[in-house]
Each structure stands twice: as C-alpha cells, then as structure tokens.
C-alpha cells in the first residue's frame, strides 16, 4: 500500500511516516513547511527513513500529486483552537474547504481509503457524561467547527468506491522530533523540567481525554489496513477510557514524574471546553487496535528526552514548537501572507 500522508513534517506526521514504513507501507508525504524550523531531537531507531515529500500547500494539491497512491492519511490543517481562532476565515478555508477538496481529488485519482484525523474537541462543552460517537457535537471554536463540517461533507462521499474513516483524536501528547509545547501534557512536562513549577492560571477542573502520539499513529495504521466494511464511513474516538483526566490531575501526574516540581492552581476560568469521552468503539470495532501508553508513561518518556538533550528554557520557548508563535513569526517577517500562503521571493 502506498499512502499519501499530508502534514508529514508536523508533530504527528514526523512520527507517522516512519511508523507506517516500519510496517511495510510506502509513504509519500506532503507538507507546506511552516514548522521546519523546529527539530527537538533525533532518534535513529525511530527515524530510520524520511519519506519523499512534496512541499506544497494543502489548497494547491492536484489530482496528479495523488496518482499512484492507494490511500490518504490526512493530518495537514491549522492544528489547534488558539491557532484556529486567530483567523477563523482562513481556518475554514484550509481546514474545511481544503480538506473536502483533498477528498474529492483523492476520489478522482482512484484512491479508495481516506483516513481523516478529526478531534474530540468536536464535543466542546460537555455535560460531564462520557460521550461516545453518537453524542451530539458542540464545537466551541473554528477549529472544532471545521472538524464537524469535514466529517459531514466527506462522510457523504462514502460508497462502494470510497472508504473514508474519521478518527476523533483525544488531545495528543508524547515526544516527536517536530515537538509541540502548546498541548497540555507536553507543556506541563516542559514547565516541570525548565522551572520545577506548574503555576496553573485556572482551577484545572475541565476534563480532557488524552492519547499518546504513537497510539494515534496505530489508529491511523489500523484504519488504513482494516477491511473496508469494518470502517467505511465510521467515526472512532481515539484513546482509552482510563485517560480522561481533569487538567489538575495531569499536573499532579507530571509533578510526580519530575522530582522537585511544585503545582499551584488558580481560580475557575471561563473556558467552556470540558468533556469526557468514551472509547469503547475503537477497541471493539477497529481490528487490531489497542493503546500502549498512558499519561504517566508519556510524561516519563518526555522526561527522558529532556534529560538526553539537556533541554534549555530557550528551547522550550522557541517559536517553532508553538504553532501560533511560529505562524505569527512567518507573517511578521513577510514569509507568508494573510491567507497563509508562502510569499514568493
């Protein structure tokens, strides 16, 4: 199987490319290169290959780019809530319209399997109940709205000749060479390492499900190789029931993993994003899938990476490891325009 992986140089993509190759799949990557400035560490055992990569904006993909591929694993979008809210119009242009156009071109190229990385953020403001894939969505941000719209529009394409699969990932964590420090566990671990203090600006009461980056890669792999009838048009929450935590619980786990780290909490915040998620379906219906990591194991992995590279506070603060910082830098230096296209020199 030859898989077209979009966002192959991103946080998940940098792990996914080698992960698929180690399992016998061919990988052709696509990435626009916004985050190429950031490379946290090298691990030859994990990074034994770098996929051939087309450097192109998602919105500029042509059918000819996809020819010869058997499947698409689509990661390449503006990748979190703060980034999406920074420019909602462009977020919809890339994340919704760009993703639907990619699915349409994949069909034209004769590709049957289309794996879309959605997000548990579609549940938005939850009631405290465990939400499964049949629960009503309640997106609170442009990023989450786009995920809902892509699921709707690409879901309509499902048929005998096209097999889309939708993976609603919990909040990712764990080491990647293209690191992100703007997601909760990674950020808490970096704070614990560089300052030995986690000073929360809220009371940490919101619920978040979390999932290790390699478990996301496993879900993508299993979605690519599963029989079509097992996955066609299906939505899967990606994670495990035990990994629903309040933010303050995650802070405690991290503090226990990084000796000498102190935790303090603040007042309740106005952030309405709080949800617990049920992950029974993926474990019972996606053949071969299981999670290998939990939050504590991920925190221990991150501590090991930070120790090995002797990570400095300056590295933690570097713009390329925080999505919104990096895009603001590219815009302020005239490298990308207001619509996030590269400016021709």
């Amino acid at each position: 199987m030859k898989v077209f992986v979009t966002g192959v140089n991103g946080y998940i993509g940098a792990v996914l490319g080698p992960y698929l190759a180690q399992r016998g799949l061919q990988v052709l990557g696509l990435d626009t290169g916004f985050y190429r400035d950031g490379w946290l560490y090298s691990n030859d055992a994990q990074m034994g290959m770098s996929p051939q990569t087309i450097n192109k904006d998602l919105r500029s993909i042509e059918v000819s780019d996809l020819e010869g591929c058997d499947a698409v694993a689509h990661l390449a979008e503006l990748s979190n809530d703060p980034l999406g809210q920074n420019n909602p119009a462009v977020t919809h242009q890339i994340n919704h319209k760009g993703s639907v156009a990619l699915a349409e071109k994949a069909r034209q190229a004769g590709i049957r399997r289309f794996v879309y990385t959605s997000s548990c953020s579609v549940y938005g403001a939850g009631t405290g109940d465990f939400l499964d894939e049949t629960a009503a969505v309640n997106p609170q941000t442009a990023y989450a709205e786009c995920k809902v719209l892509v699921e709707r529009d690409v879901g309509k394409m499902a048929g005998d000749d096209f097999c889309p699969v939708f993976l609603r990932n919990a909040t990712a964590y764990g080491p990647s060479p293209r690191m992100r420090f703007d997601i909760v566990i990674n950020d808490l671990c970096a704070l614990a390492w560089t300052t030995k203090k986690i000073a929360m600006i809220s009371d940490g009461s919101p619920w978040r499900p979390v999932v290790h980056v390699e478990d996301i890669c496993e879900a993508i792999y299993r979605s690519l190789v599963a029989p079509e009838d097992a996955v066609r048009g299906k939505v899967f929450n990606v994670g495990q029931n035990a990994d629903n935590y309040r933010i303050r619980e995650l802070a405690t786990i991290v503090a226990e993993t990084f000796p000498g780290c102190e935790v303090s909490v603040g007042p309740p915040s106005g952030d309405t994003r709080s949800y617990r998620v049920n992950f029974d379906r993926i474990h019972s219906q996606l053949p071969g899938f299981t999670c290998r990591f939990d939050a504590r194991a991920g925190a221990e992995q991150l501590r090991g990476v930070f120790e090995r590279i002797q990570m400095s506070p300056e590295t933690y603060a570097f713009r390329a490891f925080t999505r919104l910082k990096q895009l603001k830098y590219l815009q302020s230096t005239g490298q990308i325009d207001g619509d996030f296209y590269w400016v021709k020199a």
Side-chain angles (χ1 to χ4, degrees):
M1 178 184 286
K2 185 174 183 179
V3 185
F4 190 83
V5 177
T6 72
V8 74
N9 291 333
Y11 171 65
I12 298 173
V15 179
L16 179 64
Y19 194 94
L20 296 180
Q22 289 166 4
R23 285 151 184 79
L25 279 61
Q26 288 182 268
V27 177
L28 174 62
L30 175 121
D31 203 284
T32 193
F34 287 154
Y35 310 111
R36 63 168 62 101
D37 292 350
W39 188 264
L40 186 67
Y41 67 91
S42 292
N43 178 343
D44 192 56
Q46 181 189 46
M47 308 303 295
M49 59 80 69
S50 295
Q52 177 187 353
T53 300
I54 301 168
N55 294 302
K56 184 181 280 192
D57 190 287
L58 168 67
R59 294 164 290 181
S60 302
I61 292 175
E62 300 169 1
V63 174
S64 58
D65 294 322
L66 297 157
E67 289 175 353
C69 294
D70 305 295
V72 171
H74 179 35
L75 304 166
E77 294 182 339
L78 297 180
S79 55
N80 63 5
D81 289 325
L83 185 54
Q85 292 301 96
N86 181 56
N87 192 328
V90 175
T91 299
H92 278 267
Q93 182 187 121
I94 296 172
N95 291 17
H96 174 212
K97 294 180 180 177
S99 295
V100 174
L102 172 65
E104 291 170 341
K105 289 169 185 174
R107 287 181 74 188
Q108 292 174 38
I111 291 173
R112 298 182 63 88
R113 190 72 56 103
F114 188 92
V115 179
Y116 176 66
T117 51
S118 187
S119 169
C120 284
S121 66
V122 300
Y123 298 118
T127 62
D129 297 330
F130 281 87
L131 303 174
D132 66 16
E133 293 84 351
T134 65
V137 296
N138 188 13
Q140 303 291 297
T141 63
Y143 169 77
E145 288 169 5
C146 289
K147 294 295 190 187
V148 172
L149 293 171
V150 174
E151 288 184 13
R152 180 196 70 187
D153 293 346
V154 177
K156 293 176 182 176
M157 302 181 196
D160 292 341
D161 65 339
F162 194 62
C163 179
V165 191
F166 305 99
L167 300 178
R168 290 179 180 169
N169 297 321
T171 300
Y173 66 88
S176 166
R178 297 278 185 197
M179 197 59 182
R180 286 183 61 184
F181 289 127
D182 53 3
I183 42 184
V184 60
I185 292 181
N186 295 358
D187 187 35
L188 293 173
C189 287
L191 282 169
W193 173 259
T194 58
T195 70
K196 293 191 178 299
K197 184 179 293 185
I198 298 173
M200 301 177 64
I201 59 173
S202 73
D203 65 355
S205 61
W207 287 96
R208 287 287 187 284
V210 295
V211 64
H212 194 281
V213 61
E214 288 189 36
D215 289 332
I216 292 174
C217 293
E218 176 70 1
I220 293 170
Y221 168 68
R222 295 295 174 180
S223 297
L224 289 166
V225 301
E228 287 188 358
D229 288 345
V231 296
R232 183 183 289 106
K234 283 193 176 180
V235 176
F236 295 100
N237 294 332
V238 181
Q240 56 190 341
N241 292 342
D243 272 358
N244 284 279
Y245 299 93
R246 292 189 186 274
I247 302 295
R248 59 174 175 255
E249 293 173 338
L250 291 173
T252 299
I253 290 170
V254 169
E256 291 170 353
T257 306
F258 288 77
C261 179
E262 299 177 356
V263 178
S264 61
V265 298
S269 76
D271 191 346
T272 59
R273 296 172 301 156
S274 179
Y275 44 90
R276 289 193 287 180
V277 176
N278 178 287
F279 298 100
D280 289 344
R281 176 184 287 181
I282 193 168
H283 292 275
S284 64
Q285 296 186 26
L286 183 58
F289 177 79
T290 188
C291 285
R292 295 174 49 225
F293 300 89
D294 61 16
R296 191 174 297 275
E300 290 170 352
Q301 274 188 315
L302 288 167
R303 189 187 71 187
V305 169
F306 299 163
E307 288 174 345
R308 180 160 63 86
I309 68 172
Q310 288 299 293
M311 190 176 78
S312 67
E314 291 76 21
T315 298
Y316 164 48
F318 183 51
R319 53 179 164 73
F321 299 129
T322 297
R323 294 299 183 245
L324 186 54
K325 278 187 191 177
Q326 178 68 3
L327 288 182
K328 285 186 173 181
Y329 163 77
L330 293 175
Q331 286 186 320
S332 68
T333 54
Q335 296 183 69
I336 62 174
D337 63 22
D339 291 324
F340 293 5
Y341 284 105
W342 289 102
V343 175
K344 295 181 180 179

